[in-house]
Structures are given as C-alpha cells and as structure tokens.
Amino acid sequence: MNILVAGGAGYIGSHTCVALLEAGHTVIVADDLSQRKSGTLELVQRITGRKIIFHLVDVTDEAATEAVFAKYDLEGVIHFAGLKVVGESLTKPLAYYYNNLVSTMVLAKLCLKYGVERFVFSSSAAVYGANQIPFVESMPLLPATTPYGESKVMSERILADTAQAEPGWSVALLRYFNPVGAHESGLIGETPAGIPTNLMPYITQVAKGKLDKLQVFGDDYPTVDGTGVRDYIHVMDLAEGHVAAVEKLTPGVHVYNLGTGRGTSVLQLVRAFEEANGLRVPYEIGPRRLGDIPACYADTTKAQRDWGWTSKRTLADMCRDAWRFAR
C-alpha cells in the first residue's frame, strides 16, 4: 500500500517507517521537522535499503498537505503529527489544542476528499485519565489531566464522529502507553532537545555523564516502591502494531491499546537499565510532577485477539537498545 505517514520523522514515526518498509509498503512522509532532523529518514533508508518519499509539510497547512494527497494514490494515513510534551502542554495549551486538533481535521478532511479509506491515529493512554487499572478500551474516558491528553480525547471524538457519518471509512484509534528503546541497529532512537521529559532518555543522559543525576518525581505514590508505574513498550513493538492496524483495518471505528500489559516503576526501570548495561544511574527524589498519575498499564487482550499482535521485546531489550543508540 501507499501509506502517508504524517510526522514520520519523529521518534515513533521513524520506527514505524522502518516497520512499514520492511513489510513491503511504500512510505510517503509529511513532516515539518520541528521536532526532528531530516537525517533520521536517511538512516531509516539505510536500515531498510528502501526509499522514503519525503515532503517538508506542516499538516496544519491544508493547501500544502492537499498537494501531497493530490500527487499520490494514497491507500492509508498514519497520523503522528502533533505536539507531545505533556508538561509543556500545561504552559502552552493553545498551541497544543491548535496543532493537535487542526492537524487531525485537515488529514481527515483530505482522506474523505481523496477516497483514502484507512486512517490510523496516534492516540495515548492519557485519554483514560485517572481510571481504574488496567486500562481497557471499553472504559468510559475520564477528563484527561493535561491539555495534551485532552487534545487526544478531542481528536478521537472528531475521528469517531466522522467515521460514523462516512460509511466505508476505517479508523483505528491506537492508545499506546510509554514507548522506550530504539531500533536494534542503534541508528535511530529518541533524541529530545535539552533536558528530557521522558524517562529513558533522561536515564541515558545520566549514564553518559551529560547530566549529574536523574530526578525522580515523587516516591509517595501507592505503588510497589512509591514511584510512578507505567507500561513501557519497546518502540519497535509499537511500530509493528501500527503496521498491523493499517493492514487489518475494516470499516468503522476501532480502539486498541498498545502496551505490554505490565506495570514497571521508575526505580524498577532504573535498576533494569543498570543490570542490562552494567552501569550505575545516580538519582534523587523530588516532588511529584503536575499532571502525573500514580500508575497506568494496559489490557492488551483486544489487539492480540483481533490482530494476533503482542509485544515481543523485554524490558532488558528496551534498556540495551536505548543505550546502544545513546552511546
């Protein structure tokens, strides 16, 4: 299939491009490179030995995005484009609502205009709010704790309502948890600017000596060791989930969790990284971070039942691959 990957130069997008190319699909990337350098896609081509078609496009720009739709006979869209720093969304809510909602509406509108029937949306476990764990797709969504999370909830509603009004249109809402790790080649991975907001790149920067110590936000949560618990999933497992979604979509709206189904605390991940790589990661405990919830992890039964998809890589794999890329 000819697949448009919006935001395909980003962390999850670039790994999904690898998985799509390896599955035999043609990949067209639309990205404004505001969060990633263009060299990432060259590395994807080096890994796969296959070509990516690239357009420097901000998908909130409808005219520029339409030019891409008009040029290719697209059969599916995977939508990663958007702002994603949870904490930053609290200080820049308008930017998050504008970017994340307008990009969704532009892509959906053009899919309908050009007869592109498959739409895969990069959603988030943030839509569950502080729900009962494990998170199950059938749960009623609670108010998200951040503008980032709310932008994902609103985008899901926009796409679901559109699919219900357009028979034959197929939408997958992929609610995924905490992607970590890197491609096993070590060529592509997570490269945040400045001090990382995600845990694994923070750990790797401390391990490299770029930062003195890891800041752990809170140790008084009702969890195994008081630190926050998340469902960490290897980014390549997540990428392969997107391939399964775009290949197996049927008309209507389909919601899937992509995670491992296991919760890991901050300190458990630190210890796993130390053991996997023979390194020490100094840390200090600080106050809780605004917008964080104590714990979240997925019920992944539905994706396994419907697609045969399940995460395959271990926590040790995530830690080793993240460090291979970082160094």
Side-chain angles (χ1 to χ4, degrees):
M1 287 189 284
N2 293 335
I3 308 296
L4 175 64
V5 184
Y11 173 46
I12 303 171
S14 61
H15 288 79
T16 300
C17 287
V18 169
L20 286 165
L21 290 169
E22 290 179 340
H25 299 292
T26 298
V27 174
I28 301 100
V29 168
D31 199 304
D32 65 0
L33 301 183
S34 62
Q35 301 179 67
R36 185 58 64 104
K37 297 178 181 178
S38 59
T40 302
L41 296 179
E42 294 171 3
L43 294 171
V44 169
Q45 294 177 129
R46 181 174 160 189
I47 289 167
T48 62
R50 297 194 60 210
K51 182 176 174 55
I52 285 177
I53 302 166
F54 174 69
H55 290 271
L56 183 63
V57 169
D58 178 345
V59 294
T60 65
D61 182 337
E62 184 173 340
T65 307
E66 182 165 7
V68 178
F69 273 76
K71 188 171 183 178
Y72 305 99
D73 183 17
L74 298 176
E75 296 163 87
V77 167
I78 303 180
H79 175 21
F80 295 107
L83 301 177
K84 63 176 186 176
V85 181
V86 175
E88 182 184 60
S89 75
L90 293 163
T91 60
K92 298 180 179 178
L94 185 58
Y96 272 72
Y97 285 123
Y98 179 85
N99 191 289
N100 294 1
L101 297 179
V102 172
S103 62
T104 298
M105 289 187 284
V106 165
L107 290 168
K109 179 180 178 181
L110 293 173
C111 279
L112 297 179
K113 181 174 181 178
Y114 286 87
V116 182
E117 295 184 343
R118 298 166 185 258
F119 193 107
V120 177
F121 176 59
S122 167
S123 191
S124 168
V127 303
Y128 289 111
N131 234 313
Q132 182 80 27
I133 50 177
F135 294 161
V136 181
E137 292 91 344
S138 58
M139 283 179 167
L141 302 185
L142 298 179
T145 56
T146 63
Y148 165 78
E150 277 297 325
S151 74
K152 293 295 187 181
V153 172
M154 292 178 185
S155 289
E156 283 199 11
R157 289 173 181 155
I158 289 166
L159 294 169
D161 289 347
T162 303
Q164 288 170 1
E166 298 287 341
W169 204 44
S170 307
V171 174
L173 307 176
L174 303 187
R175 297 173 181 166
Y176 42 81
F177 285 67
N178 290 69
V180 297
H183 188 267
E184 62 181 9
S185 67
L187 292 176
I188 60 172
E190 192 170 9
T191 54
I195 296 177
T197 56
N198 291 339
L199 179 56
M200 185 61 85
Y202 205 146
I203 290 173
T204 60
Q205 288 200 16
V206 173
K208 289 177 71 173
K210 292 183 68 175
L211 297 172
D212 292 336
K213 53 194 168 185
L214 173 71
Q215 295 290 325
V216 177
F217 298 106
D219 66 347
D220 58 349
Y221 288 109
T223 62
V224 61
D225 55 22
T227 63
V229 167
R230 298 292 182 267
D231 188 339
Y232 297 100
I233 177 172
H234 196 291
V235 66
M236 283 307 301
D237 280 332
L238 190 62
E240 289 160 7
H242 287 77
V243 176
V246 78
E247 289 180 344
K248 299 186 179 184
L249 258 180
T250 56
V253 182
H254 308 277
V255 182
Y256 291 94
N257 288 334
L258 296 184
T260 65
R262 299 181 299 275
T264 301
S265 77
V266 172
L267 293 184
Q268 286 174 331
L269 186 62
V270 169
R271 294 188 195 102
F273 182 89
E274 291 177 329
E275 291 173 7
N277 298 302
L279 297 166
R280 181 175 171 273
V281 179
Y283 65 87
E284 69 175 10
I285 305 297
R288 294 185 183 190
R289 186 168 53 183
L290 186 64
D292 280 351
I293 60 175
C296 75
Y297 55 90
D299 181 315
T300 60
T301 307
K302 187 177 178 185
Q304 186 170 2
R305 181 191 68 219
D306 290 1
W307 303 339
W309 175 90
T310 186
S311 62
K312 298 177 290 189
R313 297 161 179 89
T314 66
L315 198 61
D317 293 331
M318 301 175 208
C319 294
R320 282 191 294 265
D321 290 342
W323 181 235
R324 183 182 299 113
F325 170 74
R327 68 172 192 264

